Amino acid sequence: MSSTDAREAPGFSLIAQRNNSLSSSGRYLVLGSLVLVSLTISLGFAAHGAWPVLPFWGLEMAGLYLAFRQVDRHAQDYERISIRGDRVLIEKHEARRLMCYEFNRCWARLVVEPPARGRHARVALRSHGREVEFGRHLTDDQRLALAQALKQELSNR
């Protein structure tokens, strides 16, 4: 969890995003290293007569490439919630797609479901039959802390 820029108008703002340990170029450098090491081993086996290893090497590398591509596609995902005056704005950026939701602060109701067996804590805003969940990239403890902060902020009218 991190706050946004203090230069913005007074209010509440929070951004939740993934913890990415590698940059995009770093991920592809790791993938390239795995391809090179695996190809070297596979060619060694093929040179000793075990040529059926090569098609399986190709399938394995294709699977790794798809997995790395999926991680890269979602690396910039984030969620932002802002409260300014009577407006509550939620932005969700998922897989290079931006979705924006706006609620009236007076009508927005906080929905909190604590963690249960096999299920994560859930935090959402609801108004006029529409509900938007928030905190996908947060731990259960962070979601509950967010719920407390939102509850306090929504009640400060």
Side-chain angles (χ1 to χ4, degrees):
M1 270 192 302
S2 64
S3 283
T4 59
D5 210 338
R7 296 175 298 206
E8 291 182 9
F12 177 85
S13 186
L14 181 120
I15 297 175
Q17 62 188 42
R18 301 177 176 275
N19 181 13
N20 293 313
S21 58
L22 284 175
S23 66
S24 184
S25 58
R27 278 189 286 280
Y28 286 106
L29 183 63
V30 168
L31 178 62
S33 300
L34 289 171
V35 167
L36 186 62
V37 168
S38 183
L39 178 62
T40 303
I41 293 168
S42 296
L43 288 175
F45 276 99
H48 286 86
W51 62 266
V53 167
L54 291 177
F56 290 103
W57 168 82
L59 287 173
E60 180 183 12
M61 291 305 110
L64 270 176
Y65 169 74
L66 292 174
F68 272 70
R69 194 175 98 189
Q70 181 73 1
V71 167
D72 199 49
R73 184 176 180 190
H74 289 280
Q76 300 302 317
D77 288 2
Y78 70 87
E79 296 174 320
R80 175 183 295 149
I81 187 165
S82 303
I83 301 175
R84 303 278 186 258
D86 285 341
R87 294 178 7 163
V88 179
L89 300 171
I90 296 178
E91 290 178 24
K92 289 184 165 202
H93 186 270
E94 295 177 7
R96 300 183 180 115
R97 202 177 48 176
L98 181 64
M99 296 164 285
C100 297
Y101 306 92
E102 184 174 340
F103 294 95
N104 183 306
R105 183 180 190 163
C106 299
W107 290 97
R109 296 293 168 249
L110 183 63
V111 177
V112 180
E113 295 175 10
R117 184 178 305 164
R119 189 174 53 84
H120 294 287
R122 187 170 172 274
V123 176
L125 282 179
R126 181 184 296 159
S127 178
H128 294 90
R130 188 173 57 157
E131 184 173 286
V132 178
E133 194 168 337
F134 188 85
R136 180 175 153 208
H137 306 296
L138 302 175
T139 65
D140 284 341
D141 291 337
Q142 290 172 328
R143 282 187 194 111
L144 295 175
L146 166 69
Q148 279 299 111
L150 279 175
K151 183 179 179 181
Q152 182 178 352
E153 195 62 37
L154 287 172
S155 66
N156 293 339
R157 295 184 181 163

